[in-house]
Amino acid sequence: MGNEQKENSNKYSIIIPTYNERLNIALLVYLIFKHLPNVNFEIIVVDDGSPDGTQDIVKQLQSVYGEDRIPLRARPTKLGLGTAYIHGLKHASGNFVVIMDADLSHHPKYLPNFIKKQMETGADIVTGTRYVKGGGVHGWNLMRKLTSRGANVLAQTLLWPGVSDLTGSFRLYRKSVLEDVIGSCVSKGYVFQMEMIVRTTRKGYNIAEVPITFVDRVYGSSKLGGSEIVEYLKGLIYLLLTT
């Protein structure tokens, strides 16, 4: 009973950066509402000028769920993931912030697990991990699995962050912690998530993990380019020298 009251006193701002996610955003919003029936939350959509009509779909969703539940905070053009979170954070009214992808690779069914884990542990950050029992990846070929796993093992060996999944982007943050950490992050794209988690551990924040299964994007094309491994290694060297 105490837990229930505690949960109800928190508000969760779910920040979802979008670019050409017209085919995914409605289903994602529906699933979030389905899996968080008794939770106070808002879904902040940060759209970077999608030409596919993503914003039109979000406006239709606002007419169903209410503008206060799904604030649209659009930007004129593609400005990057890190700045999308900063932009969403400025508009967040919750005391906790969830970051997740719009492409359905992060299933909203895990959100109650994130909230429960945070309440049980008092953690400042709860991060979803593919690399513990109960977690995994669906829809990746062996090469991509090995690359991702190798990237995480390499980063753990060199940086010792104490977290099993450094490059995942499905996380719950105490809002004050996210505000504290995000300002000092300079990396872009793939490396940004890793820098965020390394900097939070360096600052001594408490991190908990929940297992998730990552599903390769359902509709649309992957935005990862062939240079991601080079960028990752450059980012790793930068973090080694600066943290």
Side-chain angles (χ1 to χ4, degrees):
M1 191 70 182
N3 265 10
E4 228 169 77
Q5 288 171 345
K6 195 172 169 189
E7 183 176 317
N8 287 340
S9 70
N10 290 324
K11 182 173 182 181
Y12 300 88
S13 297
I14 302 168
I15 300 175
I16 302 176
T18 58
Y19 185 76
N20 287 350
E21 298 292 356
R22 181 177 62 85
L23 294 169
N24 294 318
I25 192 68
L27 180 54
L28 179 65
V29 166
Y30 163 76
L31 288 169
I32 291 171
F33 274 89
K34 179 186 172 189
H35 288 286
L36 295 178
N38 302 311
V39 174
N40 185 10
F41 69 89
E42 62 183 354
I43 302 169
I44 301 170
V45 179
V46 180
D47 185 73
D48 277 2
S50 296
D52 74 338
T54 296
Q55 289 185 34
D56 295 330
I57 300 294
V58 174
K59 284 168 186 169
Q60 288 177 40
L61 291 166
Q62 286 178 329
S63 69
V64 175
Y65 295 104
E67 281 185 46
D68 59 322
R69 300 302 300 277
I70 314 178
L72 173 61
R73 299 293 177 252
R75 304 191 297 175
T77 186
K78 278 187 92 167
L79 296 167
L81 195 60
T83 59
Y85 292 137
I86 292 169
H87 185 70
L89 193 54
K90 283 178 188 161
H91 299 281
S93 61
N95 56 325
F96 284 91
V97 173
V98 174
I99 60 171
M100 64 189 298
D101 293 347
D103 61 9
L104 299 171
S105 56
H106 298 152
H107 200 298
K109 70 182 178 184
Y110 295 112
L111 287 170
N113 298 351
F114 279 72
I115 291 169
K116 183 166 179 273
K117 176 66 85 171
Q118 192 285 320
M119 288 170 58
E120 286 172 356
T121 61
D124 299 305
I125 302 117
V126 179
T127 183
T129 176
R130 299 161 284 187
Y131 304 124
V132 297
K133 190 171 189 230
V137 175
H138 181 76
W140 279 9
N141 63 28
L142 181 61
M143 193 62 215
R144 191 158 178 202
K145 282 182 181 176
L146 289 173
T147 303
S148 175
R149 193 72 178 110
N152 271 282
V153 169
L154 181 62
Q156 282 172 31
T157 305
L158 296 175
L159 299 172
W160 287 97
V163 177
S164 67
D165 194 343
L166 283 162
T167 53
S169 53
F170 194 0
R171 294 178 186 156
L172 181 152
Y173 288 86
R174 201 180 291 277
K175 184 183 177 185
S176 56
V177 171
L178 184 56
E179 287 171 331
D180 179 35
V181 173
I182 204 165
S184 58
C185 291
V186 300
S187 304
K188 300 278 184 282
Y190 191 55
V191 184
F192 175 77
Q193 304 296 352
M194 181 172 68
E195 182 176 2
M196 287 276 289
I197 214 77
V198 170
R199 293 207 181 277
T200 52
T201 56
R202 295 292 188 269
K203 283 173 175 275
Y205 289 119
N206 178 19
I207 304 174
E209 295 185 310
V210 292
I212 61 162
T213 297
F214 179 97
V215 180
D216 207 10
R217 55 181 302 119
V218 179
Y219 296 114
S221 58
S222 177
K223 303 183 183 76
L224 295 173
S227 63
E228 69 169 352
I229 295 171
V230 175
E231 286 303 310
Y232 174 83
L233 292 171
K234 277 160 58 180
L236 197 57
I237 292 162
Y238 165 76
L239 288 174
L240 268 171
L241 296 173
T242 62
T243 61

